Amino acid sequence: ALSWIVERLGGDRGQSRSEIDKLLLYKSDDPDKAITLADAAAVLGDTSAMDIDDVVGATFDGDLATLDRALDRVFAEGGNAVQLVRALQRHADQLHVVSGHAKGGNFEAAMFKARSLPRGGPVRRRFENHLRRWPLPRLGNALSRILDAELECKTTGFPDQAIARRLCLALARAAAPSRR
């Protein structure tokens, strides 16, 4: 359980402390104070996945400053470049599916059809902003770049992190003009 917990705690000390406090609170009424893997899995969030979500969001927002910080954090914590590229691809695929179903810009009905998408709150608002910012032709280009980057990571021998960074920056620059 300990190695699993350490693997999932991110580099943000305050957030890690909060996650540990949450786990201790969960076990506070349990006469057996030993923490099992099942306990940890039930309570703790995966903060490294949250960091990758920050990179994906900043990339598709076109927010270069936030993207740079998020990339630094992901790679400082040992983040996997191919995993990051695949997260970008999943997000672009979801945007592409919804945009393809949106008739006349009716994203609400299209999002309802795609059941695995965000249901509400800031995640949904961000997704809707990405839908407006990324029309189908731009998404098609982004998906092509993402696939090329994954292939580069696996075949060229170039540093994976550099390939992933270059991809994120190129996509963020593609989103930036529509931010203004």
Side-chain angles (χ1 to χ4, degrees), residues 6-176:
V6 169
E7 187 178 299
R8 273 148 185 83
L9 292 178
D12 183 341
R13 188 176 181 153
Q15 188 174 18
S16 294
R17 184 180 296 278
S18 174
E19 292 293 311
I20 291 168
D21 288 344
K22 188 168 48 170
L23 182 59
L24 293 174
L25 180 63
Y26 177 79
K27 292 296 285 187
S28 66
D29 291 337
D30 190 347
D32 177 23
K33 298 293 182 188
I35 294 174
T36 66
L37 182 58
D39 295 329
V43 176
L44 297 181
D46 188 347
T47 59
S48 63
M50 290 177 7
D51 290 341
I52 287 179
D53 289 345
D54 292 341
V55 170
V56 171
T59 298
F60 283 88
D61 285 343
D63 185 347
L64 294 170
T66 301
L67 174 61
D68 189 46
R69 287 189 304 273
L71 282 167
D72 286 345
R73 189 171 59 242
V74 164
F75 292 137
E77 294 174 5
N80 182 309
V82 173
Q83 182 183 10
L84 173 60
V85 170
R86 287 183 179 164
L88 292 166
Q89 182 178 5
R90 277 190 302 277
H91 190 71
D93 283 341
Q94 287 180 330
L95 291 170
H96 196 264
V97 166
V98 172
S99 289
H101 286 295
K103 306 239 184 328
N106 184 359
F107 295 129
E108 188 68 33
M111 286 182 72
F112 183 75
K113 288 180 185 177
R115 293 189 173 105
S116 65
L117 298 177
R119 294 286 179 216
V123 174
R124 181 182 174 117
R125 283 191 296 278
R126 186 177 228 180
F127 189 83
E128 290 171 348
N129 287 336
H130 293 172
L131 285 169
R132 286 185 209 90
R133 184 169 294 137
W134 289 85
L136 278 173
R138 188 179 295 163
L139 281 170
N141 186 30
L143 283 167
S144 177
R145 284 178 147 179
I146 292 167
L147 290 174
D148 290 345
E150 184 171 354
L151 185 61
E152 275 186 73
C153 285
K154 293 178 177 180
T155 61
T156 63
F158 295 139
D160 292 354
Q161 290 184 8
I163 294 167
R165 265 183 199 278
R166 186 180 66 209
L167 171 65
C168 289
L169 291 172
L171 294 175
R173 281 190 206 105

